[in-house]
Amino acid sequence: MKTIQVFSIATVLFFLPFSNSFAAWKELGSNEMMVVYVDLDTISGSGEKAQILSMLDFKRAGMNPKSKLPVSSIIGINEYNCPAISYRPIEYKEFSGNKGSGKVVSDNKTPNSEYEPIVNESWTAGVFNVVCMRK
């Protein structure tokens, strides 16, 4: 079963630049800097962990520190360890346009990243509440 989940997530990420318009984005909330969206159809889980596709859509473009190119949105897969109240990025892409449009600024695969604690009132806390409360 785990192989199927990994394959499904890999397939989603492979087609990510083309699938943004097909994703069933649900707005979770916003602040002065960004709007946070998730695609509830991409929730998958194994044991105490769950993964979901999420998008950060910036109200003002940021900058990729390496390329110095503008970044207006980020779409990625994050894995949440529900009992430990932590998360880690699996893979994410930065886009020059809003809502995953425009040029791909960077494509980052981070399957061995470390878990980080969820900070209250952060975007990760909002996504954590959605994905871990459904388990």
Side-chain angles (χ1 to χ4, degrees), residues 55-129:
M55 174 171 54
L56 306 179
D57 192 46
F58 301 117
K59 294 181 179 178
R60 274 185 272 155
M63 184 182 298
N64 179 291
K66 291 181 183 174
S67 69
K68 305 298 183 207
L69 293 172
V71 174
S72 294
S73 58
I74 299 174
I75 297 177
I77 295 278
N78 290 305
E79 182 173 68
Y80 291 81
N81 184 326
C82 297
I85 311 173
S86 61
Y87 85 103
R88 68 187 183 111
I90 301 295
E91 182 170 355
Y92 64 95
K93 293 184 182 188
E94 296 176 313
F95 294 88
S96 62
N98 288 101
K99 295 187 177 179
S101 66
K103 178 182 166 187
V104 175
V105 174
S106 71
D107 186 352
N108 306 278
K109 292 165 182 49
T110 57
N112 299 319
S113 61
E114 298 289 322
Y115 282 92
E116 301 173 28
I118 303 290
V119 176
N120 281 339
E121 299 185 24
S122 66
W123 71 267
T124 55
V127 178
F128 172 86
N129 288 334

Side-chain angles (χ1 to χ4, degrees), residues 4 19 21 23 25 31 41 50 67 77 84 86 111 117:
I4 292 170
S19 67
S21 60
W25 294 117
N31 61 23
D41 294 337
S67 69
I77 295 278
S86 61

